[in-house]
Amino acid sequence: MNLYFQDESRFGLMSHLGSCIAAKGVTPVIDYQHRFSATYLYGAYSPIDGDSFVWEVEGVSTKIFEAYLKGISQHRPEVFKVLVIDNAGFHSTKKIKVPHNIFLINIPPYTPELNPCEQVWKHIKQRFKNKVFKDMEKLREWLYDNVREMSRKTIMEITSNHHYMKCFNATLKM
């Protein structure tokens, strides 16, 4: 059995400005792009062993989420997965078929701070600031590289929460 935190995040061609280092008295010049083209990362990250399963797709919908669940079900199929998800409308479990090796737990509505996956997106988006991508293919390459470069140790450090870990470990003892 393994615990995962799942969420989606949008990444696009519009620049996100952040701080940068410049000499005192010098106004930094940052490239900026104002384009409304975007893609989404669906990700599930485990605080137990640092495992992850990430998809890049263009959009969010019940159909895409159901396909994502099927995909993560086939990733390490011998492992029963407890997936903590938020209450996005397209996560409605009444409308989707949940694979046999997945159990979904919803966090309370309007509490994104309870999903450590949000911290993974923050980690990636810190590196995303002040970047300009020529096109969606360059953005996708950058996302793939950043997702692949995240070590299991980093994922565990970002997603580990002593409250969740205590509950999960207590469940294993039952």
Side-chain angles (χ1 to χ4, degrees):
M1 180 168 20
N2 203 352
L3 174 66
Y4 290 86
F5 297 104
Q6 191 281 328
D7 198 20
E8 308 79 25
S9 188
R10 184 174 63 83
F11 294 85
L13 294 178
M14 184 177 293
S15 298
H16 291 272
L17 299 179
S19 60
C20 65
I21 298 173
K24 187 175 183 176
V26 175
T27 303
V29 177
I30 304 292
D31 288 335
Y32 179 77
Q33 180 171 261
H34 195 83
R35 291 177 58 195
F36 292 106
S37 189
T39 191
Y40 288 82
L41 288 185
Y42 281 62
Y45 298 90
S46 171
I48 306 299
D49 62 4
D51 185 40
S52 63
F53 183 77
V54 182
W55 267 14
E56 181 265 325
V57 258
E58 293 185 19
V60 292
S61 70
T62 301
K63 187 175 180 178
I64 292 170
F65 183 63
E66 187 172 20
Y68 178 81
L69 289 178
K70 184 177 179 185
I72 193 172
S73 170
Q74 294 166 353
H75 167 76
R76 295 172 66 184
E78 73 286 354
V79 175
F80 185 79
K81 299 160 186 81
V82 176
L83 218 62
V84 178
I85 61 174
D86 61 21
N87 286 284
F90 55 90
H91 287 173
S92 176
T93 55
K94 294 175 186 170
K95 299 177 184 175
I96 61 174
K97 182 180 178 198
V98 179
H100 73 281
N101 62 342
I102 293 179
F103 182 77
L104 301 177
I105 297 177
N106 289 82
I107 60 174
Y110 310 108
T111 57
E113 67 278 3
L114 294 180
N115 189 343
C117 195
E118 296 288 351
Q119 298 307 311
V120 174
W121 303 141
K122 182 179 176 182
H123 176 82
I124 295 172
K125 288 182 177 183
Q126 283 295 96
R127 287 150 184 76
F128 186 69
K129 289 182 179 177
N130 301 331
K131 299 258 188 242
V132 173
F133 300 97
K134 184 176 104 179
D135 54 31
M136 285 302 292
E137 194 53 43
K138 293 293 181 193
L139 169 62
R140 285 186 182 98
E141 287 174 20
W142 184 89
L143 287 170
Y144 294 155
D145 290 343
N146 275 269
V147 167
R148 274 193 294 261
E149 289 173 7
M150 287 185 68
S151 70
R152 286 180 177 262
K153 182 181 178 203
T154 300
I155 291 169
M156 289 168 63
E157 288 171 353
I158 293 172
T159 60
S160 189
N161 174 300
H162 71 279
H163 298 295
Y164 284 117
M165 299 301 284
K166 184 177 178 181
C167 291
F168 185 76
N169 290 328
T171 304
L172 293 176
K173 294 176 185 175
M174 296 172 98

